[in-house]
Amino acid sequence: MAQSLYNVFFSPTGTTRAVVDKVADAIAADLDISNIIVNLTQPTKRPVAVGGEAGNVLVFGFPVYGGRVPAVLADSIKKFDGEGVYAIPVAVYGNRDYDDALVEAVDLLTAHGFKVVAAGAFIGEHSMAPRVGEGRPDAADLAAAEQFGHDVAAKLAQENYERPQVKGNRPYMDAMAPRDDRPKTTDACTVCGICVKRCPMGIIDAEDPAKIGEGCLQCNACVKSCPVDAKYFDDEMSLKIKAMLEGNFMARREPELFL
Protein backbone atom coordinates (compact mmCIF):
# COMPACT_ATOMS: atom_id res chain seq x y z
CA MET A 1 0.00 0.00 0.00
CA ALA A 2 1.24 3.47 -0.88
CA GLN A 3 2.71 5.53 1.95
CA SER A 4 3.23 8.85 0.19
CA LEU A 5 2.09 10.81 -2.83
CA TYR A 6 4.48 13.17 -4.57
CA ASN A 7 2.71 16.13 -6.18
CA VAL A 8 5.40 17.29 -8.60
CA PHE A 9 4.83 20.13 -11.04
CA PHE A 10 6.35 22.84 -13.21
CA SER A 11 3.91 25.75 -13.36
CA PRO A 12 5.22 29.21 -14.31
CA THR A 13 1.79 30.88 -14.47
CA GLY A 14 -0.01 28.71 -11.90
CA THR A 15 -2.46 26.99 -14.24
CA THR A 16 -0.76 23.61 -14.13
CA ARG A 17 -0.55 23.70 -10.34
CA ALA A 18 -4.25 24.54 -10.05
CA VAL A 19 -5.08 21.32 -11.91
CA VAL A 20 -2.56 18.94 -10.37
CA ASP A 21 -3.34 20.09 -6.83
CA LYS A 22 -6.93 18.95 -7.35
CA VAL A 23 -5.83 15.59 -8.75
CA ALA A 24 -3.21 14.97 -6.07
CA ASP A 25 -5.36 16.11 -3.16
CA ALA A 26 -8.18 13.75 -4.15
CA ILE A 27 -5.86 10.75 -4.51
CA ALA A 28 -4.07 11.41 -1.22
CA ALA A 29 -7.33 11.91 0.66
CA ASP A 30 -8.98 8.77 -0.71
CA LEU A 31 -5.92 6.59 -0.08
CA ASP A 32 -5.22 8.29 3.27
CA ILE A 33 -1.56 8.95 2.47
CA SER A 34 0.75 11.94 2.90
CA ASN A 35 0.87 14.53 0.13
CA ILE A 36 4.39 15.83 -0.57
CA ILE A 37 4.52 18.93 -2.78
CA VAL A 38 7.55 19.36 -5.03
CA ASN A 39 7.51 22.60 -7.05
CA LEU A 40 10.02 22.49 -9.91
CA THR A 41 9.15 25.93 -11.25
CA GLN A 42 12.03 27.95 -9.86
CA PRO A 43 15.56 27.15 -11.07
CA THR A 44 16.88 26.85 -7.51
CA LYS A 45 14.32 24.09 -6.85
CA ARG A 46 15.40 21.76 -9.62
CA PRO A 47 16.57 19.16 -10.25
CA VAL A 48 15.46 17.13 -7.23
CA ALA A 49 15.04 13.41 -6.64
CA VAL A 50 11.44 12.25 -6.20
CA GLY A 51 9.68 8.92 -6.10
CA GLY A 52 10.86 7.14 -3.01
CA GLU A 53 9.71 3.66 -2.05
CA ALA A 54 7.89 1.20 -4.27
CA GLY A 55 4.15 1.60 -3.93
CA ASN A 56 4.27 5.38 -3.62
CA VAL A 57 2.35 7.58 -6.05
CA LEU A 58 3.63 10.37 -8.29
CA VAL A 59 1.42 13.00 -9.92
CA PHE A 60 3.58 14.81 -12.48
CA GLY A 61 2.11 18.02 -13.88
CA PHE A 62 3.58 20.11 -16.67
CA PRO A 63 2.51 22.67 -19.29
CA VAL A 64 2.71 21.60 -22.92
CA TYR A 65 5.25 23.58 -24.95
CA GLY A 66 4.95 23.11 -28.70
CA GLY A 67 3.25 19.74 -28.29
CA ARG A 68 6.04 18.33 -26.11
CA VAL A 69 7.18 18.03 -22.50
CA PRO A 70 9.18 21.20 -21.68
CA ALA A 71 12.87 20.56 -22.37
CA VAL A 72 13.76 22.51 -19.23
CA LEU A 73 12.51 19.53 -17.20
CA ALA A 74 14.93 17.03 -18.74
CA ASP A 75 17.49 17.22 -15.93
CA SER A 76 14.79 16.98 -13.27
CA ILE A 77 13.24 13.88 -14.82
CA LYS A 78 16.66 12.23 -14.88
CA LYS A 79 16.68 12.53 -11.07
CA PHE A 80 13.32 10.80 -10.67
CA ASP A 81 13.49 7.38 -8.97
CA GLY A 82 10.42 5.47 -9.99
CA GLU A 83 11.19 1.84 -9.27
CA GLY A 84 7.79 0.44 -8.32
CA VAL A 85 6.17 3.90 -7.99
CA TYR A 86 2.76 4.49 -9.60
CA ALA A 87 2.67 7.57 -11.82
CA ILE A 88 0.00 9.85 -13.24
CA PRO A 89 1.29 12.40 -15.79
CA VAL A 90 -0.95 15.46 -16.17
CA ALA A 91 -0.47 17.76 -19.17
CA VAL A 92 -1.97 21.24 -19.27
CA TYR A 93 -2.21 22.92 -22.68
CA GLY A 94 -3.55 26.18 -24.08
CA ASN A 95 -6.68 24.93 -25.89
CA ARG A 96 -4.82 24.15 -29.13
CA ASP A 97 -3.61 20.56 -28.70
CA TYR A 98 -1.34 18.55 -26.45
CA ASP A 99 -0.03 16.61 -29.48
CA ASP A 100 2.64 14.12 -28.30
CA ALA A 101 3.35 15.62 -24.87
CA LEU A 102 1.34 13.12 -22.86
CA VAL A 103 2.67 10.00 -24.57
CA GLU A 104 6.18 11.46 -24.26
CA ALA A 105 5.63 11.91 -20.51
CA VAL A 106 4.44 8.31 -20.24
CA ASP A 107 7.58 7.12 -22.00
CA LEU A 108 9.90 9.27 -19.88
CA LEU A 109 8.37 8.09 -16.63
CA THR A 110 8.31 4.45 -17.74
CA ALA A 111 12.01 4.69 -18.69
CA HIS A 112 12.75 5.71 -15.09
CA GLY A 113 10.94 2.75 -13.58
CA PHE A 114 7.51 4.26 -12.92
CA LYS A 115 4.32 2.32 -13.53
CA VAL A 116 1.97 4.72 -15.31
CA VAL A 117 -1.59 3.89 -14.23
CA ALA A 118 -3.47 6.94 -15.57
CA ALA A 119 -2.92 10.17 -17.46
CA GLY A 120 -4.82 13.35 -18.18
CA ALA A 121 -4.75 16.38 -20.46
CA PHE A 122 -6.40 19.56 -19.19
CA ILE A 123 -6.83 23.05 -20.58
CA GLY A 124 -5.31 26.25 -19.25
CA GLU A 125 -5.29 29.79 -20.53
CA HIS A 126 -2.73 30.00 -23.31
CA SER A 127 0.38 31.79 -22.09
CA MET A 128 1.01 33.60 -25.39
CA ALA A 129 -2.63 34.30 -26.30
CA PRO A 130 -4.73 34.82 -23.15
CA ARG A 131 -7.99 34.98 -25.12
CA VAL A 132 -7.42 31.34 -26.09
CA GLY A 133 -8.65 29.24 -23.21
CA GLU A 134 -9.40 32.42 -21.28
CA GLY A 135 -10.12 31.77 -17.62
CA ARG A 136 -9.15 28.10 -17.82
CA PRO A 137 -8.93 26.01 -15.79
CA ASP A 138 -12.42 27.05 -14.71
CA ALA A 139 -14.73 25.50 -12.13
CA ALA A 140 -15.74 22.69 -14.50
CA ASP A 141 -12.09 21.88 -15.26
CA LEU A 142 -11.17 21.77 -11.58
CA ALA A 143 -14.18 19.57 -10.80
CA ALA A 144 -13.07 17.21 -13.57
CA ALA A 145 -9.54 17.17 -12.16
CA GLU A 146 -10.83 16.33 -8.69
CA GLN A 147 -13.05 13.54 -10.02
CA PHE A 148 -10.12 12.21 -12.04
CA GLY A 149 -8.15 12.01 -8.79
CA HIS A 150 -10.96 10.06 -7.12
CA ASP A 151 -11.11 7.67 -10.09
CA VAL A 152 -7.34 7.12 -9.99
CA ALA A 153 -7.49 6.41 -6.27
CA ALA A 154 -10.28 3.87 -6.83
CA LYS A 155 -8.20 2.15 -9.51
CA LEU A 156 -5.19 1.92 -7.19
CA ALA A 157 -7.33 0.70 -4.30
CA GLN A 158 -8.53 -2.14 -6.54
CA GLU A 159 -4.86 -2.99 -7.28
CA ASN A 160 -5.44 -2.32 -10.94
CA TYR A 161 -2.08 -1.12 -12.26
CA GLU A 162 -2.72 -1.51 -15.97
CA ARG A 163 -1.18 1.20 -18.14
CA PRO A 164 -3.78 3.01 -20.23
CA GLN A 165 -3.52 3.73 -23.93
CA VAL A 166 -2.65 7.41 -24.25
CA LYS A 167 -3.10 9.57 -27.35
CA GLY A 168 0.04 10.66 -29.11
CA ASN A 169 2.56 9.64 -31.74
CA ARG A 170 5.89 7.85 -31.76
CA PRO A 171 8.20 9.19 -32.99
CA TYR A 172 7.20 12.48 -31.39
CA MET A 173 6.72 15.64 -33.36
CA ASP A 174 9.84 17.79 -33.67
CA ALA A 175 10.48 20.10 -30.75
CA MET A 176 10.18 23.80 -31.37
CA ALA A 177 13.31 25.41 -32.75
CA PRO A 178 15.04 27.63 -30.17
CA ARG A 179 14.18 31.31 -30.42
CA ASP A 180 15.82 34.17 -28.59
CA ASP A 181 12.76 36.35 -28.16
CA ARG A 182 12.68 38.15 -24.82
CA PRO A 183 10.05 40.28 -23.11
CA LYS A 184 10.29 44.03 -23.24
CA THR A 185 9.73 46.40 -20.33
CA THR A 186 7.97 49.77 -20.31
CA ASP A 187 8.83 52.80 -18.20
CA ALA A 188 5.95 51.86 -15.92
CA CYS A 189 8.22 49.27 -14.25
CA THR A 190 8.60 49.98 -10.52
CA VAL A 191 11.42 47.44 -9.98
CA CYS A 192 9.17 45.61 -7.51
CA GLY A 193 11.00 42.33 -8.22
CA ILE A 194 7.93 40.18 -8.75
CA CYS A 195 8.95 39.20 -12.28
CA VAL A 196 12.44 38.35 -11.04
CA LYS A 197 10.98 35.91 -8.53
CA ARG A 198 8.48 34.43 -10.97
CA CYS A 199 10.87 33.77 -13.87
CA PRO A 200 11.42 29.98 -14.07
CA MET A 201 14.76 30.48 -15.79
CA GLY A 202 16.19 33.07 -13.39
CA ILE A 203 17.24 35.36 -16.24
CA ILE A 204 15.66 38.69 -15.21
CA ASP A 205 18.13 41.12 -13.63
CA ALA A 206 17.12 42.02 -10.08
CA GLU A 207 18.62 45.50 -10.25
CA ASP A 208 17.22 46.30 -13.70
CA PRO A 209 14.30 44.04 -14.71
CA ALA A 210 14.47 45.42 -18.25
CA LYS A 211 17.64 43.37 -18.69
CA ILE A 212 16.74 39.80 -19.70
CA GLY A 213 19.35 37.11 -20.24
CA GLU A 214 19.28 34.26 -22.74
CA GLY A 215 17.03 31.27 -22.29
CA CYS A 216 13.52 32.78 -22.16
CA LEU A 217 10.77 30.14 -22.42
CA GLN A 218 8.08 32.67 -23.36
CA CYS A 219 6.02 31.23 -20.52
CA ASN A 220 4.76 34.78 -19.88
CA ALA A 221 5.05 34.41 -16.10
CA CYS A 222 6.63 37.86 -15.97
CA VAL A 223 3.91 39.37 -18.17
CA LYS A 224 1.04 37.89 -16.18
CA SER A 225 2.52 38.64 -12.76
CA CYS A 226 3.48 42.29 -13.36
CA PRO A 227 1.16 44.49 -11.25
CA VAL A 228 1.62 47.49 -13.59
CA ASP A 229 1.56 45.62 -16.94
CA ALA A 230 5.12 46.68 -17.72
CA LYS A 231 6.21 43.45 -19.41
CA TYR A 232 5.18 42.44 -22.93
CA PHE A 233 6.23 40.60 -26.09
CA ASP A 234 5.98 42.34 -29.45
CA ASP A 235 8.48 40.45 -31.60
CA GLU A 236 7.19 39.44 -35.02
CA MET A 237 7.02 35.70 -34.35
CA SER A 238 5.17 36.06 -31.04
CA LEU A 239 2.57 38.29 -32.67
CA LYS A 240 2.14 35.85 -35.56
CA ILE A 241 1.66 32.93 -33.17
CA LYS A 242 -0.86 34.88 -31.11
CA ALA A 243 -2.86 35.81 -34.22
CA MET A 244 -2.80 32.21 -35.47
CA LEU A 245 -4.03 30.87 -32.14
CA GLU A 246 -6.79 33.45 -31.82
CA GLY A 247 -7.86 32.81 -35.40
CA ASN A 248 -8.08 29.02 -35.13
CA PHE A 249 -8.39 27.77 -31.56
CA MET A 250 -11.08 29.73 -29.74
CA ALA A 251 -13.60 26.83 -29.60
CA ARG A 252 -13.68 25.28 -26.15
CA ARG A 253 -11.88 21.97 -25.72
CA GLU A 254 -12.49 19.63 -22.81
CA PRO A 255 -10.15 17.51 -20.65
CA GLU A 256 -9.17 14.10 -21.97
CA LEU A 257 -8.60 11.40 -19.36
CA PHE A 258 -7.00 7.97 -19.64
CA LEU A 259 -7.56 5.30 -17.00
Side-chain angles (χ1 to χ4, degrees):
M1 179 63 68
Q3 299 298 314
S4 299
L5 178 146
Y6 285 84
N7 176 7
V8 182
F9 54 84
F10 178 77
S11 184
T13 62
T15 54
T16 296
R17 180 170 188 177
V19 171
V20 296
D21 276 353
K22 287 292 186 180
V23 176
D25 288 351
I27 297 173
D30 288 0
L31 297 182
D32 193 23
I33 57 178
S34 61
N35 189 349
I36 301 168
I37 295 174
V38 181
N39 188 343
L40 300 176
T41 308
Q42 295 305 312
T44 57
K45 301 296 184 181
R46 59 178 193 268
V48 61
V50 297
E53 299 178 0
N56 283 347
V57 179
L58 170 82
V59 177
F60 176 49
F62 60 93
V64 176
Y65 287 174
R68 299 284 300 274
V69 176
V72 68
L73 295 179
D75 288 341
S76 293
I77 294 172
K78 290 177 183 176
K79 291 283 187 179
F80 288 5
D81 178 14
E83 196 60 43
V85 176
Y86 305 113
I88 303 96
V90 175
V92 178
Y93 69 102
N95 203 63
R96 183 192 65 80
D97 205 321
Y98 58 92
D99 297 303
D100 302 332
L102 202 53
V103 74
E104 180 184 14
V106 169
D107 291 346
L108 287 168
L109 292 172
T110 301
H112 286 81
F114 291 91
K115 298 179 180 179
V116 175
V117 296
F122 292 82
I123 296 83
E125 186 174 282
H126 201 289
S127 60
M128 296 181 68
R131 289 183 57 224
V132 180
E134 186 174 9
R136 313 281 299 273
D138 57 19
D141 295 315
L142 297 178
E146 184 174 7
Q147 184 58 54
F148 177 58
H150 291 311
D151 293 342
V152 172
K155 181 176 181 178
L156 290 171
Q158 295 165 6
E159 299 185 356
N160 178 357
Y161 308 127
E162 182 178 355
R163 189 172 85 177
Q165 292 295 317
V166 175
K167 283 175 56 177
N169 300 296
R170 299 181 181 91
Y172 319 128
M173 64 188 298
D174 292 338
M176 291 188 301
R179 292 175 24 225
D180 190 19
D181 297 321
R182 312 179 197 185
K184 295 180 180 178
T185 308
T186 72
D187 292 339
C189 176
T190 63
V191 197
C192 67
I194 292 175
C195 63
V196 177
K197 295 177 182 177
R198 290 292 299 274
C199 177
M201 302 305 289
I203 58 174
I204 301 178
D205 189 283
E207 300 298 324
D208 182 2
K211 295 180 179 179
I212 314 291
E214 294 182 1
C216 177
L217 299 176
Q218 288 194 296
C219 69
N220 278 259
C222 61
V223 174
K224 293 191 174 186
S225 65
C226 180
V228 294
D229 297 325
K231 282 278 192 291
Y232 66 101
F233 285 89
D234 71 348
D235 60 275
E236 183 179 1
M237 183 56 69
S238 294
L239 295 178
K240 282 184 177 180
I241 292 172
K242 181 178 179 181
M244 179 275 293
L245 292 167
E246 291 180 348
N248 296 281
F249 300 103
M250 297 296 289
R252 181 184 178 94
R253 296 194 64 173
E254 298 297 340
E256 296 184 34
L257 310 175
F258 305 92
L259 282 159

Short mmCIF file of all heavy atoms in Angstrom, two decimals, residues 228-253:
data_model
loop_
_atom_site.label_atom_id
_atom_site.label_comp_id
_atom_site.label_asym_id
_atom_site.label_seq_id
_atom_site.Cartn_x
_atom_site.Cartn_y
_atom_site.Cartn_z
N VAL A 228 1.83 46.24 -12.83
CA VAL A 228 1.62 47.49 -13.59
C VAL A 228 1.67 47.25 -15.10
O VAL A 228 1.78 48.20 -15.88
CB VAL A 228 2.65 48.57 -13.18
CG1 VAL A 228 2.43 48.99 -11.74
CG2 VAL A 228 4.09 48.08 -13.39
N ASP A 229 1.58 45.98 -15.51
CA ASP A 229 1.56 45.62 -16.94
C ASP A 229 2.75 46.19 -17.71
O ASP A 229 2.60 46.71 -18.83
CB ASP A 229 0.26 46.08 -17.59
CG ASP A 229 -0.97 45.41 -17.01
OD1 ASP A 229 -0.87 44.22 -16.65
OD2 ASP A 229 -2.02 46.08 -16.88
N ALA A 230 3.92 46.10 -17.10
CA ALA A 230 5.12 46.68 -17.72
C ALA A 230 5.87 45.71 -18.61
O ALA A 230 6.78 46.12 -19.33
CB ALA A 230 6.06 47.21 -16.63
N LYS A 231 5.52 44.44 -18.59
CA LYS A 231 6.21 43.45 -19.41
C LYS A 231 5.32 43.04 -20.58
O LYS A 231 4.11 42.86 -20.44
CB LYS A 231 6.55 42.21 -18.57
CG LYS A 231 7.78 42.37 -17.67
CD LYS A 231 9.04 42.13 -18.46
CE LYS A 231 10.25 41.99 -17.55
NZ LYS A 231 10.64 43.23 -16.87
N TYR A 232 5.94 42.83 -21.74
CA TYR A 232 5.18 42.44 -22.93
C TYR A 232 6.12 41.86 -23.98
O TYR A 232 7.33 42.07 -23.94
CB TYR A 232 4.43 43.64 -23.52
CG TYR A 232 5.34 44.72 -24.08
CD1 TYR A 232 5.56 44.82 -25.46
CD2 TYR A 232 5.98 45.64 -23.25
CE1 TYR A 232 6.39 45.81 -25.99
CE2 TYR A 232 6.81 46.63 -23.76
CZ TYR A 232 7.01 46.70 -25.13
OH TYR A 232 7.84 47.67 -25.65
N PHE A 233 5.52 41.10 -24.91
CA PHE A 233 6.23 40.60 -26.09
C PHE A 233 5.64 41.29 -27.32
O PHE A 233 4.42 41.33 -27.48
CB PHE A 233 6.05 39.09 -26.25
CG PHE A 233 6.85 38.26 -25.29
CD1 PHE A 233 6.34 37.91 -24.05
CD2 PHE A 233 8.13 37.82 -25.62
CE1 PHE A 233 7.07 37.14 -23.17
CE2 PHE A 233 8.87 37.04 -24.75
CZ PHE A 233 8.34 36.70 -23.51
N ASP A 234 6.49 41.79 -28.19
CA ASP A 234 5.98 42.34 -29.45
C ASP A 234 6.86 41.95 -30.64
O ASP A 234 6.78 42.59 -31.70
CB ASP A 234 5.84 43.86 -29.37
CG ASP A 234 7.18 44.59 -29.35
OD1 ASP A 234 8.23 43.92 -29.17
OD2 ASP A 234 7.18 45.83 -29.51
N ASP A 235 7.67 40.90 -30.47
CA ASP A 235 8.48 40.45 -31.60
C ASP A 235 7.55 39.85 -32.66
O ASP A 235 6.43 39.40 -32.37
CB ASP A 235 9.51 39.41 -31.14
CG ASP A 235 8.87 38.19 -30.51
OD1 ASP A 235 8.57 38.24 -29.30
OD2 ASP A 235 8.64 37.20 -31.22
N GLU A 236 8.01 39.84 -33.89
CA GLU A 236 7.19 39.44 -35.02
C GLU A 236 6.64 38.03 -34.87
O GLU A 236 5.45 37.78 -35.13
CB GLU A 236 7.99 39.55 -36.32
CG GLU A 236 7.19 39.21 -37.57
CD GLU A 236 8.00 39.35 -38.85
OE1 GLU A 236 9.20 39.70 -38.76
OE2 GLU A 236 7.44 39.11 -39.93
N MET A 237 7.47 37.08 -34.44
CA MET A 237 7.02 35.70 -34.35
C MET A 237 5.97 35.53 -33.26
O MET A 237 4.96 34.83 -33.46
CB MET A 237 8.20 34.76 -34.09
CG MET A 237 7.81 33.29 -34.04
SD MET A 237 6.97 32.71 -35.55
CE MET A 237 8.33 32.79 -36.72
N SER A 238 6.16 36.16 -32.11
CA SER A 238 5.17 36.06 -31.04
C SER A 238 3.82 36.60 -31.48
O SER A 238 2.77 36.02 -31.17
CB SER A 238 5.66 36.82 -29.80
OG SER A 238 6.80 36.20 -29.25
N LEU A 239 3.83 37.71 -32.20
CA LEU A 239 2.57 38.29 -32.67
C LEU A 239 1.90 37.40 -33.71
O LEU A 239 0.67 37.26 -33.73
CB LEU A 239 2.84 39.69 -33.24
CG LEU A 239 3.32 40.74 -32.23
CD1 LEU A 239 3.61 42.06 -32.93
CD2 LEU A 239 2.30 40.94 -31.12
N LYS A 240 2.70 36.76 -34.56
CA LYS A 240 2.14 35.85 -35.56
C LYS A 240 1.50 34.63 -34.88
O LYS A 240 0.41 34.18 -35.26
CB LYS A 240 3.23 35.38 -36.53
CG LYS A 240 3.61 36.40 -37.59
CD LYS A 240 4.62 35.81 -38.55
CE LYS A 240 4.96 36.78 -39.68
NZ LYS A 240 5.95 36.22 -40.63
N ILE A 241 2.19 34.09 -33.88
CA ILE A 241 1.66 32.93 -33.17
C ILE A 241 0.36 33.29 -32.45
O ILE A 241 -0.63 32.54 -32.49
CB ILE A 241 2.70 32.39 -32.17
CG1 ILE A 241 3.88 31.78 -32.93
CG2 ILE A 241 2.07 31.36 -31.25
CD1 ILE A 241 5.04 31.40 -32.05
N LYS A 242 0.35 34.44 -31.81
CA LYS A 242 -0.86 34.88 -31.11
C LYS A 242 -2.03 35.01 -32.07
O LYS A 242 -3.14 34.56 -31.79
CB LYS A 242 -0.60 36.21 -30.41
CG LYS A 242 -1.79 36.75 -29.63
CD LYS A 242 -1.44 38.05 -28.93
CE LYS A 242 -2.65 38.59 -28.17
NZ LYS A 242 -2.35 39.88 -27.50
N ALA A 243 -1.80 35.64 -33.23
CA ALA A 243 -2.86 35.81 -34.22
C ALA A 243 -3.35 34.47 -34.75
O ALA A 243 -4.56 34.26 -34.94
CB ALA A 243 -2.36 36.68 -35.36
N MET A 244 -2.42 33.54 -34.98
CA MET A 244 -2.80 32.21 -35.47
C MET A 244 -3.66 31.49 -34.44
O MET A 244 -4.69 30.89 -34.79
CB MET A 244 -1.54 31.40 -35.77
CG MET A 244 -1.78 29.99 -36.28
SD MET A 244 -2.04 28.75 -34.95
CE MET A 244 -0.41 28.74 -34.19
N LEU A 245 -3.27 31.55 -33.19
CA LEU A 245 -4.03 30.87 -32.14
C LEU A 245 -5.42 31.46 -32.00
O LEU A 245 -6.42 30.74 -31.92
CB LEU A 245 -3.27 30.97 -30.81
CG LEU A 245 -1.96 30.18 -30.72
CD1 LEU A 245 -1.16 30.61 -29.50
CD2 LEU A 245 -2.23 28.69 -30.67
N GLU A 246 -5.50 32.80 -31.97
CA GLU A 246 -6.79 33.45 -31.82
C GLU A 246 -7.68 33.25 -33.04
O GLU A 246 -8.91 33.26 -32.93
CB GLU A 246 -6.59 34.95 -31.54
CG GLU A 246 -5.98 35.22 -30.18
CD GLU A 246 -5.78 36.71 -29.92
OE1 GLU A 246 -5.90 37.51 -30.88
OE2 GLU A 246 -5.50 37.07 -28.76
N GLY A 247 -7.08 33.02 -34.19
CA GLY A 247 -7.86 32.81 -35.40
C GLY A 247 -8.36 31.39 -35.59
O GLY A 247 -9.28 31.16 -36.38
N ASN A 248 -7.76 30.43 -34.86
CA ASN A 248 -8.08 29.02 -35.13
C ASN A 248 -8.47 28.18 -33.92
O ASN A 248 -9.00 27.07 -34.11
CB ASN A 248 -6.87 28.36 -35.80
CG ASN A 248 -6.55 28.94 -37.16
OD1 ASN A 248 -7.20 28.62 -38.14
ND2 ASN A 248 -5.55 29.80 -37.22
N PHE A 249 -8.23 28.66 -32.71
CA PHE A 249 -8.39 27.77 -31.56
C PHE A 249 -9.19 28.40 -30.42
O PHE A 249 -8.87 28.21 -29.25
CB PHE A 249 -7.02 27.31 -31.06
CG PHE A 249 -6.24 26.56 -32.10
CD1 PHE A 249 -5.20 27.17 -32.77
CD2 PHE A 249 -6.58 25.25 -32.44
CE1 PHE A 249 -4.48 26.49 -33.75
CE2 PHE A 249 -5.87 24.56 -33.41
CZ PHE A 249 -4.82 25.19 -34.07
N MET A 250 -10.24 29.12 -30.77
CA MET A 250 -11.08 29.73 -29.74
C MET A 250 -12.17 28.78 -29.23
O MET A 250 -12.69 28.97 -28.13
CB MET A 250 -11.72 31.01 -30.29
CG MET A 250 -10.73 32.10 -30.66
SD MET A 250 -9.81 32.72 -29.23
CE MET A 250 -11.10 33.63 -28.39
N ALA A 251 -12.55 27.77 -30.01
CA ALA A 251 -13.60 26.83 -29.60
C ALA A 251 -13.14 26.05 -28.37
O ALA A 251 -12.01 25.56 -28.31
CB ALA A 251 -13.94 25.88 -30.73
N ARG A 252 -14.02 25.93 -27.42
CA ARG A 252 -13.68 25.28 -26.15
C ARG A 252 -13.36 23.80 -26.33
O ARG A 252 -14.11 23.06 -26.97
CB ARG A 252 -14.83 25.42 -25.16
CG ARG A 252 -14.56 24.79 -23.79
CD ARG A 252 -15.79 24.89 -22.89
NE ARG A 252 -15.55 24.25 -21.60
CZ ARG A 252 -15.12 24.88 -20.52
NH1 ARG A 252 -14.89 26.18 -20.56
NH2 ARG A 252 -14.94 24.23 -19.38
N ARG A 253 -12.23 23.38 -25.78
CA ARG A 253 -11.88 21.97 -25.72
C ARG A 253 -12.06 21.49 -24.29
O ARG A 253 -12.03 22.29 -23.34
CB ARG A 253 -10.45 21.74 -26.20
CG ARG A 253 -10.25 22.10 -27.67
CD ARG A 253 -8.96 21.57 -28.21
NE ARG A 253 -8.94 20.10 -28.19
CZ ARG A 253 -7.97 19.35 -28.73
NH1 ARG A 253 -6.95 19.95 -29.32
NH2 ARG A 253 -8.02 18.04 -28.69
#
